[in-house]
Amino acid sequence: MSSNGPWLDDAEQKSWRSYLLMKRTLETHLERHLQREFGLSGSDFEILVNLSESEAGRMRAFELSRSTQWEKSRLSHHLTRMEKRGLIRKEACDSRYPEIVITEEGLAAIKECAPAHAARVREFFVDVFGPERFAILGEVSDEVVGTIGKHCEDDCPLEARS
Amino acid sequence: MSSNGPWLDDAEQKSWRSYLLMKRTLETHLERHLQREFGLSGSDFEILVNLSESEAGRMRAFELSRSTQWEKSRLSHHLTRMEKRGLIRKEACDSRYPEIVITEEGLAAIKECAPAHAARVREFFVDVFGPERFAILGEVSDEVVGTIGKHCEDDCPLEARS
DNA sequence: CGCGATGGGTTGATGTGTCAACCCAAGCGG
DNA sequence: CCGCTTGGGTTGACACATCAACCCATCGCG
């Protein structure tokens, strides 16, 4: 759009590909670390973090769906698997829908791996950026999300809004 | 807990979570667009871009593996599926290993969707950053990749190097 | 020659994500 | 009371990624 048509120029291409590579490398590294050292996937981690940060370690599925931004079917499948592994429990409460409860085992798992995970995020990402650049990244990230959100509320359904 | 030790402080947490959300939102948006408008997944796109940028639209599988950084089994599975859909062909050449050739159909697909894809990357990402911040992102991305790489060459196998 | 190592590539099992269809209780309009 | 929509949630089929095991031609070397 800016210089010539929709295409990216060479410098932009280069930065874009660097970003893609970084994203993949970081993702892979963090996932692998969690998996190898603690037997948790990134998805497990995300669920457990949300549950452990909640009031009583219990949430309704749709709350989890909102805070993780996952589709409900993905969530349902994953919770089933996690229950099978003993990380969470589905507990019938007074209403007709079950509550998702973190188990002792799940709590132990997240407490054990969270510091190591955070340390890696710091070492390989936060500290490489440095304070100012990292703050800028946060700001721009919000702008990007806003831009995409604005676009989608105009002309596409954006299923994430449930 | 906060700035001492491995944990992230509040500002860092916020930026980190903003980044995670942005990454997921952008990914989802781009993938969905490719899928809905052109019937291609991001993986299809990546393969087709590489093939179409090569000399004669043909590469050996291990070259693709190198340039995409995919594991060979993932690549093999995906090429099988793409061949079934007519986007590529495996062609026996003089040596004993087949070459991966982009088909007319595959070439048409990538030529059709690449401009629209690039336009979205520009609109929702490149232009939101703006030239300076985007250039910085590129640089830091390279640093992050370097940092992770250095760490891994010390004490872990890093299967990506094949 | 024999033979193990290496590297390119495939395969199958399994775990995970996505889509569409469905279930069902509550709310509501007639 | 009936039927309809809505929202929370599940299910099944399928696409995809990952891991480990395997196939096999070549190469190095005894």
PDB file of all heavy atoms in Angstrom, chain A residues 1 7 12 18 21 23-24 27 32 46 53 68-69 122 133 142 159, chain B residues 7 12 17-18 21 23-24 27 32 46 68-69 122 140 142 144 159:
ATOM      1  N   MET A   1       0.823  -1.194   0.000  1.00  0.00           N
ATOM      2  CA  MET A   1       0.000   0.000   0.000  1.00  0.00           C
ATOM      3  C   MET A   1       0.862   1.250   0.000  1.00  0.00           C
ATOM      4  O   MET A   1       0.709   2.145  -0.783  1.00  0.00           O
ATOM      5  CB  MET A   1      -0.876   0.069   1.252  1.00  0.00           C
ATOM      6  CG  MET A   1      -2.291  -0.444   1.168  1.00  0.00           C
ATOM      7  SD  MET A   1      -3.094  -0.635  -0.400  1.00  0.00           S
ATOM      8  CE  MET A   1      -4.696  -1.200   0.135  1.00  0.00           C
ATOM      9  N   TRP A   7       2.401  -5.384  -1.642  1.00  0.00           N
ATOM     10  CA  TRP A   7       3.558  -6.207  -1.336  1.00  0.00           C
ATOM     11  C   TRP A   7       4.460  -5.577  -0.282  1.00  0.00           C
ATOM     12  O   TRP A   7       4.435  -4.368  -0.065  1.00  0.00           O
ATOM     13  CB  TRP A   7       4.377  -6.455  -2.599  1.00  0.00           C
ATOM     14  CG  TRP A   7       3.622  -7.323  -3.537  1.00  0.00           C
ATOM     15  CD1 TRP A   7       2.824  -6.917  -4.567  1.00  0.00           C
ATOM     16  CD2 TRP A   7       3.548  -8.739  -3.504  1.00  0.00           C
ATOM     17  NE1 TRP A   7       2.267  -8.004  -5.182  1.00  0.00           N
ATOM     18  CE2 TRP A   7       2.676  -9.127  -4.562  1.00  0.00           C
ATOM     19  CE3 TRP A   7       4.121  -9.717  -2.701  1.00  0.00           C
ATOM     20  CZ2 TRP A   7       2.384 -10.466  -4.813  1.00  0.00           C
ATOM     21  CZ3 TRP A   7       3.833 -11.038  -2.961  1.00  0.00           C
ATOM     22  CH2 TRP A   7       2.967 -11.398  -4.007  1.00  0.00           C
ATOM     23  N   GLU A  12      11.039  -4.889   4.733  1.00  0.00           N
ATOM     24  CA  GLU A  12       9.859  -5.374   5.446  1.00  0.00           C
ATOM     25  C   GLU A  12       9.796  -6.898   5.420  1.00  0.00           C
ATOM     26  O   GLU A  12       9.531  -7.540   6.441  1.00  0.00           O
ATOM     27  CB  GLU A  12       8.598  -4.783   4.812  1.00  0.00           C
ATOM     28  CG  GLU A  12       8.446  -3.287   5.069  1.00  0.00           C
ATOM     29  CD  GLU A  12       7.376  -2.649   4.200  1.00  0.00           C
ATOM     30  OE1 GLU A  12       7.014  -3.246   3.153  1.00  0.00           O
ATOM     31  OE2 GLU A  12       6.899  -1.568   4.548  1.00  0.00           O
ATOM     32  N   SER A  18      11.941 -12.502   9.962  1.00  0.00           N
ATOM     33  CA  SER A  18      12.626 -12.616  11.255  1.00  0.00           C
ATOM     34  C   SER A  18      11.619 -12.809  12.377  1.00  0.00           C
ATOM     35  O   SER A  18      11.800 -13.634  13.265  1.00  0.00           O
ATOM     36  CB  SER A  18      13.454 -11.363  11.542  1.00  0.00           C
ATOM     37  OG  SER A  18      14.565 -11.297  10.669  1.00  0.00           O
ATOM     38  N   LEU A  21      10.191 -16.322  12.292  1.00  0.00           N
ATOM     39  CA  LEU A  21      11.147 -17.301  12.802  1.00  0.00           C
ATOM     40  C   LEU A  21      11.252 -17.209  14.319  1.00  0.00           C
ATOM     41  O   LEU A  21      11.253 -18.214  15.025  1.00  0.00           O
ATOM     42  CB  LEU A  21      12.523 -17.068  12.172  1.00  0.00           C
ATOM     43  CG  LEU A  21      13.611 -18.029  12.638  1.00  0.00           C
ATOM     44  CD1 LEU A  21      13.242 -19.473  12.325  1.00  0.00           C
ATOM     45  CD2 LEU A  21      14.963 -17.679  12.018  1.00  0.00           C
ATOM     46  N   LYS A  23       9.046 -16.091  16.460  1.00  0.00           N
ATOM     47  CA  LYS A  23       7.802 -16.589  17.034  1.00  0.00           C
ATOM     48  C   LYS A  23       7.812 -18.113  17.112  1.00  0.00           C
ATOM     49  O   LYS A  23       7.522 -18.701  18.152  1.00  0.00           O
ATOM     50  CB  LYS A  23       6.655 -16.092  16.162  1.00  0.00           C
ATOM     51  CG  LYS A  23       5.325 -16.732  16.372  1.00  0.00           C
ATOM     52  CD  LYS A  23       4.257 -16.012  15.575  1.00  0.00           C
ATOM     53  CE  LYS A  23       3.930 -16.640  14.232  1.00  0.00           C
ATOM     54  NZ  LYS A  23       3.419 -18.008  14.306  1.00  0.00           N
ATOM     55  N   ARG A  24       8.197 -18.739  16.021  1.00  0.00           N
ATOM     56  CA  ARG A  24       8.194 -20.191  15.998  1.00  0.00           C
ATOM     57  C   ARG A  24       9.247 -20.753  16.937  1.00  0.00           C
ATOM     58  O   ARG A  24       9.014 -21.730  17.644  1.00  0.00           O
ATOM     59  CB  ARG A  24       8.455 -20.679  14.570  1.00  0.00           C
ATOM     60  CG  ARG A  24       7.821 -21.990  14.270  1.00  0.00           C
ATOM     61  CD  ARG A  24       7.800 -22.269  12.785  1.00  0.00           C
ATOM     62  NE  ARG A  24       8.927 -21.630  12.100  1.00  0.00           N
ATOM     63  CZ  ARG A  24       9.073 -21.625  10.787  1.00  0.00           C
ATOM     64  NH1 ARG A  24       8.171 -22.205  10.025  1.00  0.00           N
ATOM     65  NH2 ARG A  24      10.104 -21.034  10.234  1.00  0.00           N
ATOM     66  N   GLU A  27       8.153 -20.232  20.635  1.00  0.00           N
ATOM     67  CA  GLU A  27       7.049 -21.151  20.902  1.00  0.00           C
ATOM     68  C   GLU A  27       7.547 -22.570  21.120  1.00  0.00           C
ATOM     69  O   GLU A  27       7.240 -23.212  22.124  1.00  0.00           O
ATOM     70  CB  GLU A  27       6.137 -21.195  19.673  1.00  0.00           C
ATOM     71  CG  GLU A  27       4.773 -20.603  19.827  1.00  0.00           C
ATOM     72  CD  GLU A  27       4.087 -20.593  18.473  1.00  0.00           C
ATOM     73  OE1 GLU A  27       4.191 -21.588  17.704  1.00  0.00           O
ATOM     74  OE2 GLU A  27       3.485 -19.566  18.158  1.00  0.00           O
ATOM     75  N   ARG A  32       8.512 -27.156  24.377  1.00  0.00           N
ATOM     76  CA  ARG A  32       9.372 -28.310  24.589  1.00  0.00           C
ATOM     77  C   ARG A  32       9.854 -28.382  26.019  1.00  0.00           C
ATOM     78  O   ARG A  32       9.923 -29.457  26.618  1.00  0.00           O
ATOM     79  CB  ARG A  32      10.578 -28.196  23.654  1.00  0.00           C
ATOM     80  CG  ARG A  32      10.238 -28.488  22.218  1.00  0.00           C
ATOM     81  CD  ARG A  32      10.842 -29.677  21.865  1.00  0.00           C
ATOM     82  NE  ARG A  32      11.730 -29.852  20.775  1.00  0.00           N
ATOM     83  CZ  ARG A  32      11.341 -30.267  19.596  1.00  0.00           C
ATOM     84  NH1 ARG A  32      10.065 -30.359  19.308  1.00  0.00           N
ATOM     85  NH2 ARG A  32      12.230 -30.591  18.693  1.00  0.00           N
ATOM     86  N   GLU A  46      -1.892 -23.152  30.208  1.00  0.00           N
ATOM     87  CA  GLU A  46      -2.805 -22.011  30.139  1.00  0.00           C
ATOM     88  C   GLU A  46      -4.045 -22.247  30.998  1.00  0.00           C
ATOM     89  O   GLU A  46      -4.467 -21.368  31.756  1.00  0.00           O
ATOM     90  CB  GLU A  46      -3.202 -21.781  28.677  1.00  0.00           C
ATOM     91  CG  GLU A  46      -3.556 -20.340  28.368  1.00  0.00           C
ATOM     92  CD  GLU A  46      -3.718 -20.096  26.877  1.00  0.00           C
ATOM     93  OE1 GLU A  46      -3.112 -20.849  26.076  1.00  0.00           O
ATOM     94  OE2 GLU A  46      -4.463 -19.173  26.518  1.00  0.00           O
ATOM     95  N   GLU A  53      -5.357 -18.996  39.275  1.00  0.00           N
ATOM     96  CA  GLU A  53      -5.484 -17.577  39.599  1.00  0.00           C
ATOM     97  C   GLU A  53      -6.913 -17.205  39.998  1.00  0.00           C
ATOM     98  O   GLU A  53      -7.179 -16.077  40.403  1.00  0.00           O
ATOM     99  CB  GLU A  53      -5.064 -16.715  38.397  1.00  0.00           C
ATOM    100  CG  GLU A  53      -3.563 -16.609  38.232  1.00  0.00           C
ATOM    101  CD  GLU A  53      -3.176 -15.834  36.971  1.00  0.00           C
ATOM    102  OE1 GLU A  53      -4.069 -15.499  36.172  1.00  0.00           O
ATOM    103  OE2 GLU A  53      -1.969 -15.586  36.797  1.00  0.00           O
ATOM    104  N   THR A  68      -9.339 -17.622  27.947  1.00  0.00           N
ATOM    105  CA  THR A  68      -8.309 -18.199  27.072  1.00  0.00           C
ATOM    106  C   THR A  68      -8.571 -17.858  25.609  1.00  0.00           C
ATOM    107  O   THR A  68      -7.692 -18.022  24.778  1.00  0.00           O
ATOM    108  CB  THR A  68      -8.281 -19.733  27.164  1.00  0.00           C
ATOM    109  OG1 THR A  68      -9.577 -20.232  26.829  1.00  0.00           O
ATOM    110  CG2 THR A  68      -7.916 -20.199  28.555  1.00  0.00           C
ATOM    111  N   GLN A  69      -9.780 -17.449  25.315  1.00  0.00           N
ATOM    112  CA  GLN A  69     -10.180 -17.172  23.932  1.00  0.00           C
ATOM    113  C   GLN A  69     -10.234 -18.426  23.078  1.00  0.00           C
ATOM    114  O   GLN A  69     -10.073 -18.356  21.862  1.00  0.00           O
ATOM    115  CB  GLN A  69      -9.230 -16.166  23.280  1.00  0.00           C
ATOM    116  CG  GLN A  69      -9.068 -14.895  24.035  1.00  0.00           C
ATOM    117  CD  GLN A  69      -9.663 -13.744  23.278  1.00  0.00           C
ATOM    118  OE1 GLN A  69     -10.867 -13.531  23.299  1.00  0.00           O
ATOM    119  NE2 GLN A  69      -8.818 -13.008  22.569  1.00  0.00           N
ATOM    120  N   ARG A 122      11.641 -14.767  30.659  1.00  0.00           N
ATOM    121  CA  ARG A 122      12.490 -13.615  30.957  1.00  0.00           C
ATOM    122  C   ARG A 122      13.819 -13.705  30.228  1.00  0.00           C
ATOM    123  O   ARG A 122      14.224 -12.788  29.524  1.00  0.00           O
ATOM    124  CB  ARG A 122      12.738 -13.534  32.470  1.00  0.00           C
ATOM    125  CG  ARG A 122      13.800 -12.510  32.837  1.00  0.00           C
ATOM    126  CD  ARG A 122      14.001 -12.382  34.334  1.00  0.00           C
ATOM    127  NE  ARG A 122      12.910 -11.715  35.005  1.00  0.00           N
ATOM    128  CZ  ARG A 122      12.582 -10.447  34.814  1.00  0.00           C
ATOM    129  NH1 ARG A 122      13.244  -9.715  33.940  1.00  0.00           N
ATOM    130  NH2 ARG A 122      11.590  -9.912  35.468  1.00  0.00           N
ATOM    131  N   ARG A 133      12.184  -1.389  24.951  1.00  0.00           N
ATOM    132  CA  ARG A 133      11.685  -2.055  23.757  1.00  0.00           C
ATOM    133  C   ARG A 133      10.555  -3.025  24.099  1.00  0.00           C
ATOM    134  O   ARG A 133       9.621  -3.208  23.325  1.00  0.00           O
ATOM    135  CB  ARG A 133      12.825  -2.790  23.040  1.00  0.00           C
ATOM    136  CG  ARG A 133      13.886  -1.838  22.494  1.00  0.00           C
ATOM    137  CD  ARG A 133      14.837  -2.519  21.523  1.00  0.00           C
ATOM    138  NE  ARG A 133      15.608  -3.596  22.127  1.00  0.00           N
ATOM    139  CZ  ARG A 133      16.573  -4.261  21.494  1.00  0.00           C
ATOM    140  NH1 ARG A 133      16.887  -3.945  20.240  1.00  0.00           N
ATOM    141  NH2 ARG A 133      17.215  -5.234  22.091  1.00  0.00           N
ATOM    142  N   ASP A 142      -1.078  -4.292  21.614  1.00  0.00           N
ATOM    143  CA  ASP A 142      -2.453  -3.864  21.858  1.00  0.00           C
ATOM    144  C   ASP A 142      -3.033  -3.157  20.638  1.00  0.00           C
ATOM    145  O   ASP A 142      -4.194  -3.354  20.286  1.00  0.00           O
ATOM    146  CB  ASP A 142      -2.508  -2.938  23.079  1.00  0.00           C
ATOM    147  CG  ASP A 142      -2.212  -3.690  24.374  1.00  0.00           C
ATOM    148  OD1 ASP A 142      -2.376  -4.922  24.392  1.00  0.00           O
ATOM    149  OD2 ASP A 142      -1.813  -3.043  25.364  1.00  0.00           O
ATOM    150  N   GLU A 159     -15.593 -15.127  15.552  1.00  0.00           N
ATOM    151  CA  GLU A 159     -16.186 -16.130  16.425  1.00  0.00           C
ATOM    152  C   GLU A 159     -15.688 -16.028  17.842  1.00  0.00           C
ATOM    153  O   GLU A 159     -16.329 -16.496  18.778  1.00  0.00           O
ATOM    154  CB  GLU A 159     -15.900 -17.527  15.874  1.00  0.00           C
ATOM    155  CG  GLU A 159     -16.432 -17.757  14.479  1.00  0.00           C
ATOM    156  CD  GLU A 159     -15.659 -16.983  13.437  1.00  0.00           C
ATOM    157  OE1 GLU A 159     -14.781 -16.162  13.788  1.00  0.00           O
ATOM    158  OE2 GLU A 159     -15.933 -17.168  12.258  1.00  0.00           O
TER     159      GLU A 159
ATOM    160  N   TRP B   7      10.508 -14.346  38.296  1.00  0.00           N
ATOM    161  CA  TRP B   7       9.162 -13.902  37.963  1.00  0.00           C
ATOM    162  C   TRP B   7       9.150 -12.618  37.174  1.00  0.00           C
ATOM    163  O   TRP B   7      10.086 -11.828  37.212  1.00  0.00           O
ATOM    164  CB  TRP B   7       8.349 -13.730  39.238  1.00  0.00           C
ATOM    165  CG  TRP B   7       8.113 -15.028  39.899  1.00  0.00           C
ATOM    166  CD1 TRP B   7       8.866 -15.600  40.878  1.00  0.00           C
ATOM    167  CD2 TRP B   7       7.081 -15.948  39.592  1.00  0.00           C
ATOM    168  NE1 TRP B   7       8.346 -16.815  41.203  1.00  0.00           N
ATOM    169  CE2 TRP B   7       7.251 -17.058  40.428  1.00  0.00           C
ATOM    170  CE3 TRP B   7       6.019 -15.930  38.691  1.00  0.00           C
ATOM    171  CZ2 TRP B   7       6.408 -18.154  40.389  1.00  0.00           C
ATOM    172  CZ3 TRP B   7       5.176 -17.021  38.653  1.00  0.00           C
ATOM    173  CH2 TRP B   7       5.373 -18.123  39.487  1.00  0.00           C
ATOM    174  N   GLU B  12       5.747  -6.189  33.094  1.00  0.00           N
ATOM    175  CA  GLU B  12       6.233  -7.227  32.184  1.00  0.00           C
ATOM    176  C   GLU B  12       5.132  -8.234  31.864  1.00  0.00           C
ATOM    177  O   GLU B  12       4.946  -8.615  30.710  1.00  0.00           O
ATOM    178  CB  GLU B  12       7.442  -7.938  32.801  1.00  0.00           C
ATOM    179  CG  GLU B  12       8.685  -7.064  32.844  1.00  0.00           C
ATOM    180  CD  GLU B  12       9.775  -7.646  33.727  1.00  0.00           C
ATOM    181  OE1 GLU B  12       9.470  -8.509  34.597  1.00  0.00           O
ATOM    182  OE2 GLU B  12      10.935  -7.249  33.569  1.00  0.00           O
ATOM    183  N   ARG B  17       1.533 -10.686  28.142  1.00  0.00           N
ATOM    184  CA  ARG B  17       0.201 -11.183  27.793  1.00  0.00           C
ATOM    185  C   ARG B  17      -0.356 -10.450  26.579  1.00  0.00           C
ATOM    186  O   ARG B  17      -1.054 -11.035  25.753  1.00  0.00           O
ATOM    187  CB  ARG B  17      -0.742 -11.082  29.003  1.00  0.00           C
ATOM    188  CG  ARG B  17      -0.270 -12.002  30.120  1.00  0.00           C
ATOM    189  CD  ARG B  17      -1.289 -12.278  31.195  1.00  0.00           C
ATOM    190  NE  ARG B  17      -0.730 -13.251  32.162  1.00  0.00           N
ATOM    191  CZ  ARG B  17      -1.407 -13.819  33.146  1.00  0.00           C
ATOM    192  NH1 ARG B  17      -2.671 -13.515  33.336  1.00  0.00           N
ATOM    193  NH2 ARG B  17      -0.835 -14.701  33.954  1.00  0.00           N
ATOM    194  N   SER B  18      -0.029  -9.181  26.453  1.00  0.00           N
ATOM    195  CA  SER B  18      -0.435  -8.454  25.248  1.00  0.00           C
ATOM    196  C   SER B  18       0.199  -9.097  24.020  1.00  0.00           C
ATOM    197  O   SER B  18      -0.447  -9.297  22.989  1.00  0.00           O
ATOM    198  CB  SER B  18      -0.004  -6.992  25.325  1.00  0.00           C
ATOM    199  OG  SER B  18      -0.761  -6.308  26.297  1.00  0.00           O
ATOM    200  N   LEU B  21      -1.499 -12.400  23.210  1.00  0.00           N
ATOM    201  CA  LEU B  21      -2.808 -12.192  22.605  1.00  0.00           C
ATOM    202  C   LEU B  21      -2.662 -11.728  21.156  1.00  0.00           C
ATOM    203  O   LEU B  21      -3.348 -12.221  20.254  1.00  0.00           O
ATOM    204  CB  LEU B  21      -3.603 -11.167  23.405  1.00  0.00           C
ATOM    205  CG  LEU B  21      -4.995 -10.850  22.848  1.00  0.00           C
ATOM    206  CD1 LEU B  21      -5.844 -12.106  22.806  1.00  0.00           C
ATOM    207  CD2 LEU B  21      -5.676  -9.760  23.665  1.00  0.00           C
ATOM    208  N   LYS B  23      -0.158 -12.204  19.109  1.00  0.00           N
ATOM    209  CA  LYS B  23       0.347 -13.311  18.311  1.00  0.00           C
ATOM    210  C   LYS B  23      -0.792 -14.248  17.914  1.00  0.00           C
ATOM    211  O   LYS B  23      -0.934 -14.612  16.739  1.00  0.00           O
ATOM    212  CB  LYS B  23       1.393 -14.045  19.151  1.00  0.00           C
ATOM    213  CG  LYS B  23       1.823 -15.396  18.669  1.00  0.00           C
ATOM    214  CD  LYS B  23       2.991 -15.912  19.495  1.00  0.00           C
ATOM    215  CE  LYS B  23       2.607 -16.854  20.622  1.00  0.00           C
ATOM    216  NZ  LYS B  23       1.930 -18.071  20.177  1.00  0.00           N
ATOM    217  N   ARG B  24      -1.621 -14.594  18.877  1.00  0.00           N
ATOM    218  CA  ARG B  24      -2.703 -15.525  18.591  1.00  0.00           C
ATOM    219  C   ARG B  24      -3.743 -14.896  17.670  1.00  0.00           C
ATOM    220  O   ARG B  24      -4.237 -15.532  16.747  1.00  0.00           O
ATOM    221  CB  ARG B  24      -3.352 -15.964  19.900  1.00  0.00           C
ATOM    222  CG  ARG B  24      -3.926 -17.348  19.826  1.00  0.00           C
ATOM    223  CD  ARG B  24      -4.297 -17.853  21.201  1.00  0.00           C
ATOM    224  NE  ARG B  24      -4.612 -16.769  22.110  1.00  0.00           N
ATOM    225  CZ  ARG B  24      -4.830 -16.945  23.406  1.00  0.00           C
ATOM    226  NH1 ARG B  24      -4.733 -18.153  23.920  1.00  0.00           N
ATOM    227  NH2 ARG B  24      -5.117 -15.925  24.182  1.00  0.00           N
ATOM    228  N   GLU B  27      -2.280 -14.599  14.069  1.00  0.00           N
ATOM    229  CA  GLU B  27      -2.213 -15.941  13.507  1.00  0.00           C
ATOM    230  C   GLU B  27      -3.582 -16.410  13.051  1.00  0.00           C
ATOM    231  O   GLU B  27      -3.769 -16.828  11.911  1.00  0.00           O
ATOM    232  CB  GLU B  27      -1.754 -16.911  14.598  1.00  0.00           C
ATOM    233  CG  GLU B  27      -0.388 -17.496  14.435  1.00  0.00           C
ATOM    234  CD  GLU B  27      -0.047 -18.303  15.684  1.00  0.00           C
ATOM    235  OE1 GLU B  27      -0.926 -19.045  16.203  1.00  0.00           O
ATOM    236  OE2 GLU B  27       1.073 -18.158  16.167  1.00  0.00           O
ATOM    237  N   ARG B  32      -7.341 -17.896   9.022  1.00  0.00           N
ATOM    238  CA  ARG B  32      -8.747 -17.932   8.662  1.00  0.00           C
ATOM    239  C   ARG B  32      -8.980 -17.309   7.295  1.00  0.00           C
ATOM    240  O   ARG B  32      -9.762 -17.800   6.483  1.00  0.00           O
ATOM    241  CB  ARG B  32      -9.554 -17.156   9.700  1.00  0.00           C
ATOM    242  CG  ARG B  32      -9.705 -17.894  10.990  1.00  0.00           C
ATOM    243  CD  ARG B  32     -11.025 -18.342  11.113  1.00  0.00           C
ATOM    244  NE  ARG B  32     -11.843 -18.011  12.237  1.00  0.00           N
ATOM    245  CZ  ARG B  32     -11.956 -18.784  13.291  1.00  0.00           C
ATOM    246  NH1 ARG B  32     -11.174 -19.832  13.427  1.00  0.00           N
ATOM    247  NH2 ARG B  32     -12.851 -18.506  14.216  1.00  0.00           N
ATOM    248  N   GLU B  46       3.001 -21.837   3.073  1.00  0.00           N
ATOM    249  CA  GLU B  46       4.451 -21.820   3.283  1.00  0.00           C
ATOM    250  C   GLU B  46       5.166 -22.699   2.259  1.00  0.00           C
ATOM    251  O   GLU B  46       6.167 -22.298   1.671  1.00  0.00           O
ATOM    252  CB  GLU B  46       4.757 -22.299   4.714  1.00  0.00           C
ATOM    253  CG  GLU B  46       6.049 -21.720   5.270  1.00  0.00           C
ATOM    254  CD  GLU B  46       6.204 -22.027   6.748  1.00  0.00           C
ATOM    255  OE1 GLU B  46       5.175 -22.235   7.441  1.00  0.00           O
ATOM    256  OE2 GLU B  46       7.361 -22.076   7.217  1.00  0.00           O
ATOM    257  N   THR B  68      11.846 -24.380   5.605  1.00  0.00           N
ATOM    258  CA  THR B  68      10.674 -24.174   6.459  1.00  0.00           C
ATOM    259  C   THR B  68      10.970 -24.475   7.921  1.00  0.00           C
ATOM    260  O   THR B  68      10.188 -24.111   8.786  1.00  0.00           O
ATOM    261  CB  THR B  68       9.504 -25.092   6.050  1.00  0.00           C
ATOM    262  OG1 THR B  68       9.948 -26.447   6.115  1.00  0.00           O
ATOM    263  CG2 THR B  68       9.029 -24.793   4.649  1.00  0.00           C
ATOM    264  N   GLN B  69      12.056 -25.176   8.156  1.00  0.00           N
ATOM    265  CA  GLN B  69      12.392 -25.617   9.512  1.00  0.00           C
ATOM    266  C   GLN B  69      11.419 -26.648  10.055  1.00  0.00           C
ATOM    267  O   GLN B  69      11.256 -26.755  11.267  1.00  0.00           O
ATOM    268  CB  GLN B  69      12.436 -24.432  10.466  1.00  0.00           C
ATOM    269  CG  GLN B  69      13.355 -23.333  10.023  1.00  0.00           C
ATOM    270  CD  GLN B  69      14.526 -23.204  10.958  1.00  0.00           C
ATOM    271  OE1 GLN B  69      15.517 -23.951  10.851  1.00  0.00           O
ATOM    272  NE2 GLN B  69      14.438 -22.294  11.903  1.00  0.00           N
ATOM    273  N   ARG B 122       0.503  -6.406   5.864  1.00  0.00           N
ATOM    274  CA  ARG B 122       0.843  -4.985   5.904  1.00  0.00           C
ATOM    275  C   ARG B 122      -0.166  -4.202   6.729  1.00  0.00           C
ATOM    276  O   ARG B 122       0.194  -3.464   7.645  1.00  0.00           O
ATOM    277  CB  ARG B 122       0.887  -4.425   4.476  1.00  0.00           C
ATOM    278  CG  ARG B 122       0.991  -2.907   4.434  1.00  0.00           C
ATOM    279  CD  ARG B 122       1.131  -2.359   3.023  1.00  0.00           C
ATOM    280  NE  ARG B 122       2.411  -2.629   2.420  1.00  0.00           N
ATOM    281  CZ  ARG B 122       3.564  -2.131   2.847  1.00  0.00           C
ATOM    282  NH1 ARG B 122       3.597  -1.355   3.909  1.00  0.00           N
ATOM    283  NH2 ARG B 122       4.683  -2.426   2.236  1.00  0.00           N
ATOM    284  N   VAL B 140      15.324  -7.210  17.025  1.00  0.00           N
ATOM    285  CA  VAL B 140      15.193  -7.934  18.281  1.00  0.00           C
ATOM    286  C   VAL B 140      14.848  -9.393  18.033  1.00  0.00           C
ATOM    287  O   VAL B 140      15.316 -10.282  18.739  1.00  0.00           O
ATOM    288  CB  VAL B 140      14.136  -7.288  19.194  1.00  0.00           C
ATOM    289  CG1 VAL B 140      14.146  -7.955  20.549  1.00  0.00           C
ATOM    290  CG2 VAL B 140      14.391  -5.808  19.351  1.00  0.00           C
ATOM    291  N   ASP B 142      15.827 -11.256  15.638  1.00  0.00           N
ATOM    292  CA  ASP B 142      17.079 -11.959  15.355  1.00  0.00           C
ATOM    293  C   ASP B 142      17.865 -12.207  16.637  1.00  0.00           C
ATOM    294  O   ASP B 142      18.444 -13.280  16.830  1.00  0.00           O
ATOM    295  CB  ASP B 142      17.919 -11.156  14.367  1.00  0.00           C
ATOM    296  CG  ASP B 142      17.307 -11.128  12.973  1.00  0.00           C
ATOM    297  OD1 ASP B 142      16.484 -12.024  12.663  1.00  0.00           O
ATOM    298  OD2 ASP B 142      17.640 -10.220  12.189  1.00  0.00           O
ATOM    299  N   VAL B 144      16.636 -12.581  19.650  1.00  0.00           N
ATOM    300  CA  VAL B 144      15.979 -13.634  20.421  1.00  0.00           C
ATOM    301  C   VAL B 144      16.336 -15.003  19.860  1.00  0.00           C
ATOM    302  O   VAL B 144      16.705 -15.923  20.598  1.00  0.00           O
ATOM    303  CB  VAL B 144      14.451 -13.443  20.431  1.00  0.00           C
ATOM    304  CG1 VAL B 144      13.749 -14.658  21.023  1.00  0.00           C
ATOM    305  CG2 VAL B 144      14.072 -12.187  21.200  1.00  0.00           C
ATOM    306  N   GLU B 159      16.562 -30.202  17.798  1.00  0.00           N
ATOM    307  CA  GLU B 159      16.288 -31.077  16.670  1.00  0.00           C
ATOM    308  C   GLU B 159      16.124 -30.321  15.363  1.00  0.00           C
ATOM    309  O   GLU B 159      16.241 -30.887  14.287  1.00  0.00           O
ATOM    310  CB  GLU B 159      15.024 -31.903  16.945  1.00  0.00           C
ATOM    311  CG  GLU B 159      15.104 -32.756  18.181  1.00  0.00           C
ATOM    312  CD  GLU B 159      15.060 -31.909  19.461  1.00  0.00           C
ATOM    313  OE1 GLU B 159      15.092 -30.661  19.384  1.00  0.00           O
ATOM    314  OE2 GLU B 159      15.033 -32.496  20.520  1.00  0.00           O
TER     315      GLU B 159
END
